[in-house]
Short mmCIF file of all heavy atoms in Angstrom, two decimals:
data_model
loop_
_atom_site.label_atom_id
_atom_site.label_comp_id
_atom_site.label_asym_id
_atom_site.label_seq_id
_atom_site.Cartn_x
_atom_site.Cartn_y
_atom_site.Cartn_z
N ARG A 24 -10.03 22.38 27.15
CA ARG A 24 -9.67 20.95 27.10
C ARG A 24 -10.28 20.19 28.26
O ARG A 24 -10.29 20.67 29.39
CB ARG A 24 -8.14 20.77 27.14
CG ARG A 24 -7.73 19.30 27.01
CD ARG A 24 -6.54 18.93 27.86
NE ARG A 24 -6.76 19.16 29.28
CZ ARG A 24 -7.39 18.30 30.11
NH1 ARG A 24 -7.86 17.15 29.66
NH2 ARG A 24 -7.55 18.59 31.40
N ALA A 25 -10.83 19.06 27.97
CA ALA A 25 -11.31 18.15 29.00
C ALA A 25 -11.33 16.76 28.37
O ALA A 25 -11.31 16.64 27.14
CB ALA A 25 -12.71 18.54 29.47
N SER A 26 -11.36 15.74 29.21
CA SER A 26 -11.46 14.38 28.68
C SER A 26 -12.90 14.14 28.26
O SER A 26 -13.79 14.11 29.10
CB SER A 26 -11.03 13.37 29.75
OG SER A 26 -9.66 13.55 30.04
N ARG A 27 -13.11 13.99 26.97
CA ARG A 27 -14.47 13.80 26.44
C ARG A 27 -14.50 12.44 25.74
O ARG A 27 -13.69 12.18 24.86
CB ARG A 27 -14.84 14.94 25.51
CG ARG A 27 -14.86 16.29 26.25
CD ARG A 27 -15.46 17.42 25.41
NE ARG A 27 -15.61 18.62 26.22
CZ ARG A 27 -14.68 19.58 26.34
NH1 ARG A 27 -13.54 19.47 25.69
NH2 ARG A 27 -14.89 20.62 27.11
N ARG A 28 -15.46 11.64 26.17
CA ARG A 28 -15.41 10.21 25.83
C ARG A 28 -16.50 9.75 24.88
O ARG A 28 -16.67 8.55 24.67
CB ARG A 28 -15.47 9.39 27.12
CG ARG A 28 -14.33 9.70 28.09
CD ARG A 28 -14.44 8.94 29.40
NE ARG A 28 -13.27 9.14 30.24
CZ ARG A 28 -13.08 10.18 31.04
NH1 ARG A 28 -14.00 11.13 31.13
NH2 ARG A 28 -11.97 10.28 31.76
N ALA A 115 -7.60 -2.27 25.72
CA ALA A 115 -7.86 -1.13 26.60
C ALA A 115 -8.98 -1.47 27.57
O ALA A 115 -9.79 -0.61 27.94
CB ALA A 115 -8.20 0.11 25.79
N LEU A 116 -9.02 -2.72 27.97
CA LEU A 116 -9.93 -3.23 29.00
C LEU A 116 -11.39 -2.99 28.62
O LEU A 116 -12.24 -2.76 29.47
CB LEU A 116 -9.60 -2.57 30.36
CG LEU A 116 -8.11 -2.51 30.72
CD1 LEU A 116 -7.90 -1.87 32.08
CD2 LEU A 116 -7.48 -3.92 30.70
N GLN A 118 -12.79 -0.47 27.18
CA GLN A 118 -13.31 0.88 27.46
C GLN A 118 -14.12 1.41 26.26
O GLN A 118 -13.64 1.42 25.12
CB GLN A 118 -12.18 1.85 27.77
CG GLN A 118 -11.48 1.54 29.09
CD GLN A 118 -10.49 2.63 29.45
OE1 GLN A 118 -10.86 3.77 29.69
NE2 GLN A 118 -9.22 2.27 29.49
N VAL A 120 -14.71 4.39 25.45
CA VAL A 120 -14.10 5.56 24.79
C VAL A 120 -13.24 5.11 23.60
O VAL A 120 -13.18 5.80 22.58
CB VAL A 120 -13.29 6.41 25.80
CG1 VAL A 120 -12.15 5.62 26.43
CG2 VAL A 120 -12.76 7.67 25.15
N LEU A 161 -4.24 16.66 22.65
CA LEU A 161 -5.50 17.02 23.32
C LEU A 161 -5.82 18.50 23.14
O LEU A 161 -6.99 18.89 23.04
CB LEU A 161 -5.43 16.64 24.80
CG LEU A 161 -5.31 15.12 25.03
CD1 LEU A 161 -5.01 14.82 26.49
CD2 LEU A 161 -6.58 14.39 24.58
N GLY A 171 -11.70 14.17 22.70
CA GLY A 171 -10.52 13.33 22.86
C GLY A 171 -10.30 13.03 24.32
O GLY A 171 -10.78 13.76 25.19
N CYS A 172 -9.59 11.94 24.59
CA CYS A 172 -9.38 11.51 25.98
C CYS A 172 -8.07 10.75 26.08
O CYS A 172 -7.78 9.91 25.20
CB CYS A 172 -10.55 10.60 26.39
SG CYS A 172 -10.43 9.96 28.08
N PRO A 173 -7.26 11.02 27.09
CA PRO A 173 -6.06 10.20 27.28
C PRO A 173 -6.45 8.86 27.89
O PRO A 173 -7.27 8.81 28.80
CB PRO A 173 -5.22 11.03 28.27
CG PRO A 173 -6.20 11.83 29.04
CD PRO A 173 -7.41 12.04 28.15
N VAL A 174 -5.89 7.78 27.38
CA VAL A 174 -6.18 6.45 27.92
C VAL A 174 -4.86 5.75 28.24
O VAL A 174 -4.06 5.46 27.34
CB VAL A 174 -7.01 5.61 26.91
CG1 VAL A 174 -7.06 4.15 27.32
CG2 VAL A 174 -8.42 6.18 26.81
N GLY A 175 -4.68 5.51 29.54
CA GLY A 175 -3.47 4.82 29.99
C GLY A 175 -3.78 3.46 30.58
O GLY A 175 -2.85 2.71 30.92
N ALA A 176 -5.06 3.14 30.72
CA ALA A 176 -5.45 1.84 31.29
C ALA A 176 -5.57 0.82 30.16
O ALA A 176 -6.54 0.86 29.40
CB ALA A 176 -6.76 1.98 32.05
N PHE A 177 -4.57 -0.02 30.05
CA PHE A 177 -4.61 -1.09 29.05
C PHE A 177 -3.70 -2.22 29.52
O PHE A 177 -2.85 -2.03 30.40
CB PHE A 177 -4.18 -0.59 27.66
CG PHE A 177 -2.93 0.24 27.64
CD1 PHE A 177 -1.67 -0.34 27.79
CD2 PHE A 177 -2.99 1.62 27.46
CE1 PHE A 177 -0.51 0.43 27.76
CE2 PHE A 177 -1.84 2.41 27.44
CZ PHE A 177 -0.60 1.81 27.59
N TYR A 196 0.65 5.15 25.30
CA TYR A 196 -0.49 6.03 25.53
C TYR A 196 -1.44 5.93 24.35
O TYR A 196 -0.99 5.89 23.19
CB TYR A 196 0.02 7.49 25.62
CG TYR A 196 -0.56 8.36 26.71
CD1 TYR A 196 0.00 9.60 27.00
CD2 TYR A 196 -1.66 7.97 27.46
CE1 TYR A 196 -0.49 10.43 28.00
CE2 TYR A 196 -2.17 8.78 28.46
CZ TYR A 196 -1.58 10.01 28.73
OH TYR A 196 -2.08 10.83 29.71
N LEU A 197 -2.74 5.93 24.64
CA LEU A 197 -3.77 5.93 23.60
C LEU A 197 -4.55 7.23 23.69
O LEU A 197 -4.89 7.68 24.79
CB LEU A 197 -4.73 4.75 23.79
CG LEU A 197 -4.12 3.35 23.82
CD1 LEU A 197 -5.21 2.31 24.09
CD2 LEU A 197 -3.40 3.05 22.52
C1 FMN B 1 -1.99 9.06 32.58
C2 FMN B 1 -3.47 9.14 32.41
C3 FMN B 1 -4.19 7.98 32.14
C4 FMN B 1 -5.57 8.05 31.93
N1 FMN B 1 -6.23 6.92 31.58
C5 FMN B 1 -7.56 6.99 31.32
C6 FMN B 1 -8.24 5.83 30.88
O1 FMN B 1 -7.68 4.75 30.72
N2 FMN B 1 -9.57 5.96 30.60
C7 FMN B 1 -10.23 7.15 30.73
O2 FMN B 1 -11.44 7.19 30.45
N3 FMN B 1 -9.60 8.27 31.16
C8 FMN B 1 -8.28 8.22 31.45
N4 FMN B 1 -7.61 9.34 31.83
C9 FMN B 1 -8.33 10.63 31.92
C10 FMN B 1 -8.59 11.06 33.36
O3 FMN B 1 -9.64 10.30 33.90
C11 FMN B 1 -8.94 12.57 33.34
O4 FMN B 1 -7.82 13.27 32.84
C12 FMN B 1 -9.27 13.08 34.73
O5 FMN B 1 -10.51 12.57 35.16
C13 FMN B 1 -9.33 14.62 34.76
O6 FMN B 1 -10.33 15.10 33.86
P1 FMN B 1 -9.99 16.05 32.63
O7 FMN B 1 -9.01 15.36 31.74
O8 FMN B 1 -11.33 16.24 31.95
O9 FMN B 1 -9.44 17.32 33.16
C14 FMN B 1 -6.24 9.30 32.04
C15 FMN B 1 -5.52 10.45 32.33
C16 FMN B 1 -4.15 10.39 32.49
C17 FMN B 1 -3.38 11.65 32.75
#
Side-chain angles (χ1 to χ4, degrees):
R24 183 217 59 83
S26 295
R27 298 190 172 91
R28 301 176 173 83
L116 315 180
Q118 292 187 64
V120 61
L161 295 170
C172 179
V174 168
F177 47 74
Y196 223 169
L197 303 177

